[in-house]
Amino acid sequence: MAISTGASPNTLRGGLDSLNGRHHQLGLRLFLFIVIAHWAEHLVQAYQIYVMGWPIPEARGVLGIPFPWLVTSEWMHYGYALVMMVGLFLLRPGFTGRSGTWWKVSLGIQVWHHLEHLLLLVQALAGAHLLGKAAPTSLIQLIMPRVELHLFYNALVTVPMVVAMYLHTRANRPDNAAARCTCAPQD
């Protein structure tokens, strides 16, 4: 008796082709919504710290106010880093030319950001922290505070992603000629 393992490779390939073809614009919009929502969390947290003068443990962003455990959950932070990396990876084939280069830069930076969050998650699960620190600590966090570091990482990922989207959606760009989607309006 054969056991089904889920979708066939052809079905998965067809879904990926569709996501980077006729559904690319919708996929980008959904992905951008996730990115903006995440930015909102970080910007509200920074506002709470630097404008309102809240102590860092109390500055929990938007969702952290009703759900304080979210801010201290390494699973939540890791999950977002993973969603970002997977989203950048899945939407990558839809970008061509210069926009593709910028998108790949964003993906590469997010891979590093994801690895930093994986390190934090492993420390939280193991109960052993890097260099004996009191809390899970990423590598770059050894030289930069966590709140500022994550604003920096998110900017490093977002800027090339926005440049890629801008270039990708400009009409009649020669390097968009190979794109299989309708993100760029045609004359």
Side-chain angles (χ1 to χ4, degrees):
M1 164 165 61
I3 297 174
S4 174
T5 59
S8 72
N10 289 339
T11 302
L12 294 175
R13 174 41 106 192
L16 190 58
D17 288 344
S18 178
L19 177 62
N20 287 287
R22 64 186 170 126
H23 296 300
H24 198 238
Q25 190 174 54
L26 175 61
L28 286 175
R29 286 180 177 171
L30 291 172
F31 187 65
L32 192 56
F33 174 80
I34 293 168
V35 171
I36 290 170
H38 187 243
W39 264 110
E41 286 292 331
H42 281 285
L43 292 175
V44 167
Q45 183 186 39
Y47 181 84
Q48 290 167 339
I49 294 167
Y50 298 112
V51 176
M52 297 176 73
W54 292 10
I56 291 173
E58 297 303 314
R60 299 185 297 249
V62 177
L63 291 175
I65 298 299
F67 309 107
W69 59 269
L70 279 176
V71 175
T72 59
S73 168
E74 290 300 340
W75 277 110
M76 190 268 308
H77 295 285
Y78 175 76
Y80 175 76
L82 183 63
V83 165
M84 276 295 293
M85 186 176 69
V86 168
L88 286 162
F89 178 77
L90 291 177
L91 291 164
R92 183 188 52 79
F95 289 87
T96 59
R98 287 180 40 216
S99 69
T101 301
W102 282 99
W103 195 262
K104 289 174 195 167
V105 167
S106 183
L107 174 59
I109 296 166
Q110 184 59 32
V111 167
W112 173 258
H113 188 185
H114 163 263
L115 291 172
E116 288 268 274
H117 276 290
L118 180 60
L119 176 62
L120 292 167
L121 178 62
V122 167
Q123 290 174 67
L125 292 173
H129 305 144
L130 191 63
L131 299 177
K133 298 284 185 180
T137 305
S138 68
L139 295 176
I140 305 301
Q141 197 178 332
L142 293 170
I143 59 173
M144 184 177 210
R146 186 168 179 157
V147 172
E148 292 83 354
L149 176 60
H150 282 88
L151 284 169
F152 178 69
Y153 271 144
N154 286 309
L156 281 179
V157 171
T158 302
V159 168
M161 182 179 67
V162 168
V163 170
M165 286 181 177
Y166 174 79
L167 292 172
H168 181 68
T169 58
R170 296 304 101 200
N172 299 320
R173 287 190 48 79
D175 59 351
N176 279 345
R180 298 176 289 131
C181 64
T182 58
C183 294
Q186 302 301 315
D187 290 340

